[in-house]
Amino acid sequence: MSEHIYETDFIVEFGDCDPAGIVFYVNYFKWIDSTFNRWLRDNGLGQDLVAARWNAVGIGVIEAKASFLAPMRPGDNLVMSITGIDWLDKTLRINYHGSSSEKPVVKGFEVRGLFKANSDNILGLIPMDEVRNMLSHENHYDR
Amino acid sequence: MSEHIYETDFIVEFGDCDPAGIVFYVNYFKWIDSTFNRWLRDNGLGQDLVAARWNAVGIGVIEAKASFLAPMRPGDNLVMSITGIDWLDKTLRINYHGSSSEKPVVKGFEVRGLFKANSDNILGLIPMDEVRNMLSHENHYDR
Amino acid sequence: MSEHIYETDFIVEFGDCDPAGIVFYVNYFKWIDSTFNRWLRDNGLGQDLVAARWNAVGIGVIEAKASFLAPMRPGDNLVMSITGIDWLDKTLRINYHGSSSEKPVVKGFEVRGLFKANSDNILGLIPMDEVRNMLSHENHYDR
Amino acid sequence: MSEHIYETDFIVEFGDCDPAGIVFYVNYFKWIDSTFNRWLRDNGLGQDLVAARWNAVGIGVIEAKASFLAPMRPGDNLVMSITGIDWLDKTLRINYHGSSSEKPVVKGFEVRGLFKANSDNILGLIPMDEVRNMLSHENHYDR
């Protein structure tokens, strides 16, 4: 009955944990980013293809936030889900939820946009309508 | 004339950057966390001492957020500042600001608390009054 | 017909790659270490249990080496194998091999030992006979 | 009286350490790589310039090895030195040494080469004579 848009999982490695013996929180953002990029690739749209197709730098992150709900330890399994996507004018907000053994451990979001460099190599946002169309085709979610 | 509570700096390494050639955003949280821990140690309160003194797991992170204002590249210098601290009941909110060549590149915050394990190894928050006192002694900021 | 002692796999994430668009080599050591620790845990011997059982710091690394045979890119799958183990007096050499789509991409080794702190908190090696026995029980390799 | 070719330093961060409370060994390779890239940039030759000048992927790593001589903990200072460079036909071996509070903590080496993609996007090594010349100008070492 999950209505998650995407789901993938990770193993908490020994090296992901800090002297407190629990996950060093920065790694949750690595897993959040990896979830986004796995979803992108599973939709046939890796960052390299995004860059090539729109002559862009990629779908970069403008803002990211996470709340840590319970500690995780080496060997734990993390199930990360994309629970919702809000398409704004030139940005995209992706909501994430992570659980381990059915228990919530992290939730957060990223705001992303399609970045392109101008002639001065300054990055700016360009419209994402085509990206949105490619990521919204029902037939991509045949899982 | 800076009224920053603490300031420290980092070099953006080649390995901190992703295929887009700019900093992989997750690393900003590493620098934010490192800024906090450098500040703690410079106040004579490393996480090991925190753990020993209060029989705690450490001053862990409950929530973290960052906004990315401009890209950084290998070799860039990042100056990270703690711009404000809000002491709440059992938590602490630390505000951060990062700049490179005087240009803002990142801002964000962490909410942290002093975590202690109970007899079932479940982590809970304990009061931070003593921590607050130790981090507020004026004579610690002789920089 | 593989005679590998252990095999596990990883996904190359976008954030594992550097501005050249290929895996930042340091991550191969992360995967090598993760392979060792997954093997340890799959034998019922996580580093926390090692620490508790022998009042030790853990099975740490004394030396590590890797050769990089072909580049990997975001989304590639990495199959890591432990191809051999040499038990020496107080150390253990573990040989690794990694492949992607059947093509060799990395090989290397780690030399590890069981570290214990003495009364001055100096780390030294202690005999690993018991560890060796626990890791050599045939019935652990039922995969 | 140091005859080191290059020297730079790093701070061991809390997040660089693992549940044993000491540096997670993989990070030594990050510092080794960062030492190389800082040296390159200080010689006016960042990887981006290398890529542009020789239409190459960059000066990548073929092999890396390190021995870990003593543990380091959060807040420790690491001084990394390039102690020698061997120029081979199409490769370069860089020797590293790291110390903390005058005590050796790590030594190792990297073998690197200048990688260029052919028309099939297969990476191969190209001669490094020009790189060698640029890195050997005495006047670059005015430190």
Side-chain angles (χ1 to χ4, degrees):
Chain A
M1 57 134 269
S2 165
E3 302 190 33
H4 292 165
I5 289 165
Y6 185 71
E7 190 177 287
T8 189
D9 65 318
F10 301 91
I11 296 173
V12 173
E13 307 293 349
F14 176 76
D16 293 325
C17 297
D18 64 23
I22 59 179
V23 167
F24 179 54
Y25 88 85
V26 170
N27 291 310
Y28 286 104
F29 289 102
K30 173 83 168 357
W31 291 316
I32 283 173
D33 180 86
S34 296
T35 299
F36 176 79
N37 279 290
R38 288 182 182 186
W39 175 62
L40 214 56
R41 288 194 303 265
D42 284 1
N43 277 279
L45 254 196
Q47 295 274 14
D48 51 343
L49 298 177
V50 168
R53 187 175 181 118
W54 291 283
N55 192 20
V57 170
I59 300 179
V61 176
I62 298 164
E63 196 172 281
K65 184 185 177 194
S67 300
F68 311 105
L69 311 173
M72 296 185 76
R73 295 186 166 81
D76 284 351
N77 192 59
L78 171 63
V79 178
M80 285 294 303
S81 304
I82 296 180
T83 55
I85 293 184
D86 300 322
W87 291 93
L88 305 175
D89 187 22
K90 285 192 180 174
T91 61
L92 167 69
R93 178 181 153 135
I94 311 111
N95 295 318
Y96 299 93
H97 183 271
S99 63
S100 183
S101 303
E102 312 284 318
K103 202 175 65 173
V105 290
V106 63
K107 66 193 178 75
F109 68 83
E110 290 175 322
V111 176
R112 288 179 177 260
L114 182 52
F115 285 92
K116 184 167 184 160
N118 69 9
S119 55
D120 293 326
N121 204 25
I122 305 295
L123 304 189
L125 292 171
I126 58 173
M128 298 186 78
D129 312 43
E130 287 181 299
V131 173
R132 180 175 181 169
N133 285 339
M134 291 184 69
L135 290 175
S136 303
H137 285 323
E138 296 291 341
N139 56 342
H140 282 126
Y141 303 126
D142 54 352
R143 53 184 55 234
Chain B
M1 56 132 269
S2 165
E3 302 190 32
H4 293 164
I5 290 166
Y6 185 71
E7 190 177 288
T8 189
D9 65 317
F10 301 91
I11 296 174
V12 172
E13 308 293 350
F14 177 76
D16 294 324
C17 298
D18 64 22
I22 60 180
V23 167
F24 180 54
Y25 88 86
V26 170
N27 291 310
Y28 285 105
F29 289 102
K30 173 83 168 357
W31 291 315
I32 284 173
D33 179 86
S34 296
T35 299
F36 177 80
N37 280 289
R38 288 182 182 187
W39 175 62
L40 214 58
R41 287 194 304 265
D42 284 1
N43 277 280
L45 254 196
Q47 296 273 14
D48 50 343
L49 298 176
V50 168
R53 187 175 180 118
W54 291 285
N55 192 22
V57 170
I59 301 179
V61 177
I62 298 164
E63 198 172 280
K65 184 185 176 193
S67 300
F68 311 105
L69 311 174
M72 297 185 75
R73 296 189 164 80
D76 285 351
N77 192 59
L78 171 63
V79 178
M80 286 293 304
S81 304
I82 296 180
T83 55
I85 294 185
D86 301 322
W87 292 93
L88 305 175
D89 187 23
K90 285 192 180 173
T91 61
L92 167 68
R93 178 182 154 133
I94 311 111
N95 295 318
Y96 299 92
H97 183 271
S99 63
S100 184
S101 305
E102 312 285 318
K103 203 174 65 174
V105 291
V106 63
K107 66 192 178 74
F109 69 84
E110 290 174 321
V111 176
R112 288 179 177 261
L114 182 53
F115 285 92
K116 184 167 184 161
N118 69 9
S119 55
D120 292 327
N121 203 25
I122 304 296
L123 304 189
L125 292 171
I126 59 173
M128 299 186 77
D129 311 43
E130 287 182 298
V131 173
R132 180 176 181 170
N133 286 340
M134 292 184 68
L135 290 175
S136 302
H137 284 322
E138 295 292 339
N139 57 343
H140 282 124
Y141 303 127
D142 54 352
R143 53 183 55 236
Chain C
M1 56 133 269
S2 165
E3 302 190 32
H4 293 165
I5 290 166
Y6 186 70
E7 191 177 288
T8 189
D9 65 319
F10 302 90
I11 295 173
V12 173
E13 308 293 350
F14 177 75
D16 295 324
C17 296
D18 65 24
I22 59 179
V23 167
F24 180 54
Y25 87 86
V26 170
N27 291 310
Y28 285 106
F29 288 102
K30 173 84 169 357
W31 291 317
I32 283 173
D33 180 85
S34 296
T35 299
F36 176 80
N37 280 289
R38 288 182 181 186
W39 175 62
L40 213 58
R41 289 195 302 266
D42 284 0
N43 277 280
L45 254 196
Q47 295 274 12
D48 51 342
L49 298 177
V50 168
R53 187 175 182 119
W54 290 284
N55 192 22
V57 170
I59 301 179
V61 176
I62 298 162
E63 196 172 281
K65 185 185 176 192
S67 300
F68 312 106
L69 311 173
M72 296 184 77
R73 295 186 165 82
D76 285 350
N77 191 59
L78 171 63
V79 178
M80 285 294 303
S81 304
I82 296 180
T83 55
I85 293 184
D86 300 321
W87 292 92
L88 304 176
D89 186 22
K90 286 192 180 174
T91 61
L92 166 68
R93 178 182 154 133
I94 311 111
N95 295 318
Y96 299 92
H97 184 270
S99 62
S100 184
S101 304
E102 312 284 316
K103 201 174 67 172
V105 289
V106 63
K107 66 192 178 78
F109 68 84
E110 290 175 321
V111 176
R112 289 179 176 260
L114 182 53
F115 284 91
K116 184 167 187 161
N118 69 9
S119 55
D120 293 326
N121 204 24
I122 305 296
L123 304 189
L125 293 171
I126 59 174
M128 300 187 77
D129 311 43
E130 287 182 299
V131 173
R132 179 175 181 169
N133 285 340
M134 291 183 68
L135 291 175
S136 304
H137 285 323
E138 295 291 340
N139 55 342
H140 282 125
Y141 302 126
D142 54 352
R143 51 185 55 234
Chain D
M1 56 132 268
S2 165
E3 303 189 32
H4 294 164
I5 290 166
Y6 185 71
E7 191 177 288
T8 189
D9 65 318
F10 302 91
I11 296 174
V12 173
E13 308 292 350
F14 176 76
D16 294 324
C17 297
D18 64 23
I22 59 179
V23 167
F24 180 54
Y25 87 85
V26 170
N27 291 311
Y28 285 105
F29 288 102
K30 173 83 168 358
W31 291 317
I32 283 173
D33 180 85
S34 296
T35 299
F36 177 79
N37 280 288
R38 288 182 181 187
W39 175 61
L40 213 57
R41 289 195 303 265
D42 284 0
N43 277 279
L45 255 196
Q47 295 274 12
D48 50 344
L49 298 176
V50 168
R53 187 177 180 118
W54 290 284
N55 192 22
V57 170
I59 302 180
V61 177
I62 298 162
E63 198 172 280
K65 185 185 176 193
S67 300
F68 312 105
L69 311 175
M72 295 185 77
R73 296 187 164 80
D76 285 350
N77 191 59
L78 170 63
V79 178
M80 285 294 303
S81 304
I82 296 180
T83 54
I85 293 185
D86 301 320
W87 293 93
L88 304 175
D89 187 22
K90 285 192 181 173
T91 61
L92 167 68
R93 177 181 156 135
I94 310 112
N95 294 319
Y96 299 93
H97 183 270
S99 62
S100 184
S101 303
E102 312 285 317
K103 202 174 66 173
V105 290
V106 63
K107 65 192 178 78
F109 69 84
E110 290 175 321
V111 176
R112 288 181 176 261
L114 182 53
F115 284 92
K116 184 167 186 160
N118 70 9
S119 54
D120 293 326
N121 204 24
I122 303 297
L123 304 189
L125 293 170
I126 59 173
M128 299 187 78
D129 311 43
E130 287 181 297
V131 173
R132 180 175 181 170
N133 285 339
M134 292 184 68
L135 290 175
S136 303
H137 285 322
E138 295 291 339
N139 56 344
H140 282 124
Y141 303 126
D142 54 352
R143 53 182 57 235

